[in-house]
Amino acid sequence: MGYLTRETRRELEELPVDAFEAVLNEIASGAMPREVCAERAWAFGAFWRWIQADEGRAAAYREAQRAAADANFQECREIVDGVPEDAAAVAKARLRTGFRIRLAESW
C-alpha cells in the first residue's frame, strides 16, 4: 500500500460527519468523485473502499449520485433549448447531452 493510500485511509477514519456531507454535496452538485478526491489529495481507491465499507456511507453516496444524475438531466434540457440551429452546434449539443445521459444512467 502506498503512502497516499495510507494517508487517505487515516484521514477518512478521522473525517467528521460534516466534512463527509460537504463531499457528498459536491458530488450531488456535479463534481466528479475523482476530482473531489484530487482536491483533497486522497487516493480515489481508498476513498471508494471507505465508502463501500459502511452501508450508511454507501447509501449516502448513492443518494448524492442520484442528485447529480437529476442535475445532469436538467442540464441536458438547458443545453438542447439553447443550441443554435446550425449543424456544428447541434452536433456539439448532441455530444454534450449524450455524455450527461450516459453518466446519469450509470449512477
Side-chain angles (χ1 to χ4, degrees):
M1 179 176 1
Y3 174 78
L4 182 59
T5 299
R6 282 192 304 275
E7 284 300 303
T8 300
R9 290 176 68 185
R10 184 190 57 75
E11 256 188 74
L12 290 171
E13 290 306 321
E14 299 171 1
L15 192 69
V17 172
D18 61 329
F20 180 53
E21 289 174 358
V23 168
L24 294 176
N25 284 336
E26 285 184 53
I27 293 168
S29 296
M32 300 302 285
R34 285 185 179 272
E35 293 170 356
V36 172
C37 288
E39 290 171 3
R40 290 166 173 77
W42 290 348
F44 177 74
F47 173 71
W48 178 253
R49 286 187 297 278
W50 179 76
I51 292 284
Q52 299 306 312
D54 179 85
E55 184 51 42
R57 287 191 300 254
Y61 183 78
R62 286 189 302 271
E63 186 62 29
Q65 287 181 313
R66 280 193 290 276
D70 185 61
N72 275 337
F73 279 122
Q74 292 178 40
E75 189 175 5
C76 286
R77 181 174 178 179
E78 293 169 8
I79 292 168
V80 170
D81 287 349
V83 68
E85 293 186 23
D86 68 76
V90 170
K92 184 176 179 180
R94 184 172 289 146
L95 177 66
R96 292 178 68 204
T97 57
F99 171 77
R100 284 163 176 78
I101 289 170
R102 283 189 297 279
L103 181 61
E105 288 171 344
S106 76
W107 286 347

